[in-house]
Amino acid sequence: LAAAAYALTSAYDSAVSQWMAEQVTEPPPTKTVAFQVERPLKYGCNPHQLPAGLCSVNGGKLPFEVISGTPGYINLLDAVNAWQLVFELAKATGKPAAASFKHVSPAGAAIGVPLSESEVEVYEVKGKPLTPVATAYVRARNADPMCSFGDFVAVSHEVDVATASILKIEVSDGIIAPGFEPEALEILKAKKGGKFIVLQADNDFVFPDMEYRMVGGIGFMQKRNSKICDAECLKKIPTKLKELPEQAKLDMLLGMIAIKYTQSNSVGYSKDGMMIGVGAGQQSRVDCVKLAGRKLATWRLRFHPKVMGLKFKDGVKRQDRVNARVRYIEGDMEEAEYQQWVKNFDNAPEPLVAQEKSEFLASLSDITIASDAFFPFRDSIDHAQKLGVKYVTQPGGSNADEEVIKACDTYGMTMAFTDLRLFHH
């Protein structure tokens, strides 16, 4: 009882101290932050990391309510980052937004732009109702469906039956959204035998201005990255070509906001309202460009006639089809793997050779690339041009800016300097 009493009075003192600090021009150097355990978690990042819990801060409320399922530590990290991404993306574009998160980075993110006939076929949603919200989700999930396996989903708008019905058949851990149609909620609550996690986000929640963290016995504090990515960020264009079509502006905003919530260093490619390649957490920026570029190429090659024409045996599961297509595109299977892979088909498919892939990828155009920090060398631009990049957004500020501008001019690219670095750790 004494421990509980002192914890309670300490939290009260912390709240008073914090309020008083906000009233003066020179706050005291001692910062007090009170965590209230709202629910215990099964474990932290790993099973041996106990105890673990979900906490409210300084007597405030949580930004969401747990409707169904039992969220874990990493689920919640994904949820809160993904929710911020889609919330900002919807506000910036005026369209429903969705994100597919794995390990605190987006595998995909998108807005509700209608699908083409070929996209409907490749994403396996033929005959399904496609509302703007459902379309945003389908695009987000299909940027990199191999990486989205077991993801956490965020949607900016109320989840309708069309969206829930598509999500129902995907392997996914949970969803966060501001609301759910009654029938949609029942569909999701029944998923995974009732273990699917459903979080209802608070649209009116105001994120605290300051963030605090402790790592290795050291405390850190910083102002939250509340900088808004909007059209104002795209007005500084140093390249010879300066025209930005409306779709390019949307793709630039999408790219900026997606990488804002991606582990740095990060680079992302976008087209027609969806991220089509995200390169996260690399020490070298050009490695981010190449990693994201490999994902972009895989995304595009899923539309190759040979890939679209693969004839699977009856009964091959949805995710197994996804994985088999990716390995067919990559084509680097050893004999033992190939013998397992080919069991997905009645007849062994004809290989997709390097020349066929190169010729098909040559049709890529109007791609946007966004970077969370400046390009320190022109090598990233040299690589990006191989993948149909026409629009570039980055903070600028490198000693190599002129070199990068010249590279963009050489390849006929339009580049915007945002003056906004977006590192995320």
Side-chain angles (χ1 to χ4, degrees):
L1 287 176
Y6 274 104
L8 180 62
T9 57
S10 175
Y12 176 77
D13 290 342
S14 175
V16 173
S17 171
Q18 185 177 50
W19 182 86
M20 294 183 70
E22 293 171 352
Q23 311 309 309
V24 297
T25 55
E26 294 185 16
T30 300
K31 308 295 180 184
T32 57
V33 182
F35 279 21
Q36 171 68 43
V37 178
E38 299 293 343
R39 60 187 295 150
L41 300 176
K42 188 177 180 181
Y43 49 77
C45 281
N46 300 291
H48 62 274
Q49 291 180 260
L50 288 167
L54 169 64
C55 305
S56 58
V57 181
N58 292 330
K61 60 181 181 178
L62 294 173
F64 55 79
E65 177 186 356
V66 180
I67 303 297
S68 182
T70 304
Y73 189 95
I74 296 175
N75 292 144
L76 293 169
L77 286 175
D78 283 341
V80 74
N81 278 279
W83 169 245
Q84 292 177 87
L85 190 162
V86 299
F87 183 82
E88 290 185 27
L89 184 55
K91 289 186 71 173
T93 63
K95 299 179 182 296
S100 166
F101 258 65
K102 284 284 292 291
H103 291 282
V104 206
S105 284
I111 53 178
V113 177
L115 300 175
S116 66
E117 289 185 12
S118 59
E119 286 173 323
V120 167
E121 182 175 349
V122 169
Y123 304 156
E124 295 192 9
V125 290
K126 187 176 292 186
K128 299 182 183 296
L130 291 171
T131 61
V133 174
T135 302
Y137 168 68
V138 168
R139 285 189 177 280
R141 175 79 187 199
N142 279 280
D144 187 351
M146 180 179 279
C147 285
S148 284
F149 179 83
D151 65 347
F152 207 97
V153 178
V155 177
S156 63
H157 288 52
E158 182 181 67
V159 175
D160 52 27
V161 172
T163 306
S165 297
I166 295 170
L167 176 54
K168 176 184 178 181
I169 63 174
E170 301 288 9
V171 178
S172 179
D173 279 357
I175 185 171
I176 182 169
F180 304 85
E181 291 181 357
E183 186 180 345
L185 181 58
E186 292 307 309
I187 291 171
L188 296 175
K189 287 170 68 174
K191 185 174 169 63
K192 295 178 69 173
K195 294 182 180 180
F196 186 71
I197 302 160
V198 180
L199 307 179
Q200 182 162 339
D202 182 354
N203 250 334
D204 298 321
F205 182 84
V206 178
F207 289 96
D209 195 45
M210 294 299 298
E211 295 178 334
Y212 300 87
R213 150 190 318 195
M214 189 173 76
V215 179
I218 301 172
F220 295 89
M221 57 176 281
Q222 67 171 357
K223 184 182 183 300
R224 177 177 177 266
N225 185 3
S226 57
K227 188 69 175 179
I228 301 299
C229 300
D230 57 22
E232 291 296 313
C233 297
L234 307 177
K235 290 186 174 181
K236 186 177 178 181
I237 301 178
T239 48
K240 292 178 180 177
L241 293 179
K242 301 185 183 298
E243 183 181 359
L244 285 178
E246 286 306 309
Q247 185 60 57
K249 291 179 183 178
L250 283 175
D251 289 340
M252 283 180 158
L253 293 176
L254 166 61
M256 290 175 66
I257 294 170
I259 62 173
K260 181 181 177 183
Y261 293 101
T262 301
Q263 297 297 299
S264 295
N265 288 315
S266 66
V267 163
Y269 296 92
S270 54
K271 181 177 172 63
D272 295 338
M274 67 182 286
M275 300 304 296
I276 52 176
V278 178
Q282 302 301 303
Q283 288 77 21
S284 163
R285 187 149 307 277
V286 73
D287 280 350
C288 291
V289 173
K290 292 176 179 178
L291 172 59
R294 177 171 61 80
K295 292 172 180 285
L296 182 163
T298 299
W299 167 81
R300 178 57 184 151
L301 287 167
R302 284 159 59 203
F303 293 83
H304 192 285
K306 277 190 172 182
V307 181
M308 293 179 69
L310 288 173
K311 303 297 184 184
F312 290 93
K313 289 180 178 177
D314 291 340
V316 176
K317 293 181 179 179
R318 183 180 180 85
Q319 191 63 41
D320 290 333
R321 295 195 299 272
V322 167
N323 297 347
R325 290 186 185 107
V326 172
R327 292 303 290 133
Y328 177 65
I329 289 166
E330 292 171 340
D332 57 350
M333 292 177 276
E334 297 292 338
E335 182 61 24
E337 181 187 0
Y338 175 79
Q339 291 303 326
Q340 288 300 118
W341 175 84
V342 81
K343 291 179 181 179
N344 290 296
F345 311 94
D346 288 320
N347 298 299
E350 182 182 328
L352 181 64
V353 300
Q355 183 177 347
E356 291 174 308
K357 289 188 274 190
S358 296
E359 290 173 353
F360 193 75
L361 290 174
S363 65
L364 281 166
S365 64
D366 295 339
I367 307 294
T368 293
I369 186 172
S371 176
D372 66 353
F374 61 62
F375 291 115
F377 306 101
R378 64 169 288 159
D379 53 1
S380 292
I381 304 300
D382 290 324
H383 188 79
Q385 65 86 24
K386 301 174 185 177
L387 296 165
V389 167
K390 189 171 182 178
Y391 305 104
V392 181
T393 176
Q394 58 134 325
S398 167
N399 290 332
D401 275 355
E402 287 303 318
E403 180 183 343
V404 171
I405 292 167
K406 288 179 181 177
C408 287
D409 287 339
T410 298
Y411 299 125
M413 298 178 185
T414 303
M415 178 168 63
F417 278 170
T418 65
D419 296 326
L420 180 61
R421 197 177 79 175
L422 294 169
F423 279 167
H424 184 62
H425 292 287

